[in-house]
């Protein structure tokens, strides 16, 4: 077993969220740029959704000024994520509640490893990610 330094775990190759698109009042389609490890990509607690409201509402787990933590990730009683096809690059998040219309949401995935790997410990979005949408 190889011991990783924290910086190494954040710098290891990892899939980046290309786009998050609302496809139904309670569903978001996620597209990654590379094949993701299925276990980490479908673990709902590896995701946060930030809203532009002070406090989280609707599908959001964090408000505008909150830091991401294990306590405010998306919980399994609120939503789930499943693969769309066999690409391991496209996933659908489904929530028990609808997104609030005209609220801006930002999808923030973390800890999603590349297919065949584990242990990535950073964020899965970048400067070119289209990971935000306005609730329909």
């Amino acid at each position: 077993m190889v011991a990783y330094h924290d910086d190494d775990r954040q710098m290891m190759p990892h899939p980046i969220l290309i786009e998050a698109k609302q496809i139904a009042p309670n569903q978001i389609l996620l597209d990654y740029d590379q094949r993701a490890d299925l276990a980490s990509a479908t673990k709902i607690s590896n995701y946060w959704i930030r809203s532009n409201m002070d406090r989280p509402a609707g599908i959001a787990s964090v408000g505008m000024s909150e830091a991401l933590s294990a306590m405010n990730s998306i919980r399994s009683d609120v939503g789930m994520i499943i693969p769309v096809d066999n690409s391991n690059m496209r996933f659908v998040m489904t929530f028990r509640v609808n997104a609030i219309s005209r609220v801006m949401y930002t999808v923030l995935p973390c800890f999603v490893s590349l297919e065949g790997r584990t242990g990535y410990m950073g964020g899965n979005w970048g400067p070119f990610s289209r990971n935000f949408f306005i609730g329909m």
Side-chain angles (χ1 to χ4, degrees):
M1 179 159 161
V2 177
Y4 289 100
H5 184 270
D6 282 343
D7 291 338
D8 294 339
R9 288 185 147 212
Q10 290 182 354
M11 296 307 295
M12 66 191 313
H14 57 278
I16 297 291
L17 183 63
I18 296 173
E19 183 178 26
K21 183 167 74 175
Q22 187 177 8
I23 57 172
N26 68 332
Q27 289 188 316
I28 304 166
L29 176 65
L30 306 177
D31 280 312
Y32 285 97
D33 67 342
Q34 301 177 70
R35 292 176 66 89
D37 165 66
L38 200 55
S40 61
T42 58
K43 185 177 180 182
I44 197 70
S45 62
N46 283 347
Y47 294 84
W48 289 257
I49 296 184
R50 183 181 303 281
S51 76
N52 64 348
M53 301 170 73
D54 288 337
R55 295 198 175 144
I59 62 172
S61 62
V62 291
M64 273 309 283
S65 58
E66 292 178 84
L68 304 185
S69 73
M71 298 301 293
N72 60 20
S73 68
I74 300 172
R75 299 183 329 264
S76 60
D77 63 330
V78 174
M80 60 183 268
I81 182 167
I82 59 169
V84 170
D85 51 29
N86 293 322
S87 71
N88 284 10
M89 295 169 67
R90 297 171 49 112
F91 301 87
V92 170
M93 297 179 94
T94 303
F95 297 90
R96 291 187 183 268
V97 298
N98 293 340
I100 299 172
S101 182
R102 297 184 302 276
V103 167
M104 188 175 90
Y105 293 100
T106 306
V107 179
L108 303 168
C110 294
F111 320 130
V112 177
S113 297
L114 280 177
E115 183 177 59
R117 298 191 182 192
T118 59
Y120 176 64
M121 297 302 291
N124 292 93
W125 70 92
F128 301 109
S129 294
R130 294 187 308 271
N131 59 333
F132 58 90
F133 62 93
I134 305 295
M136 57 166 76

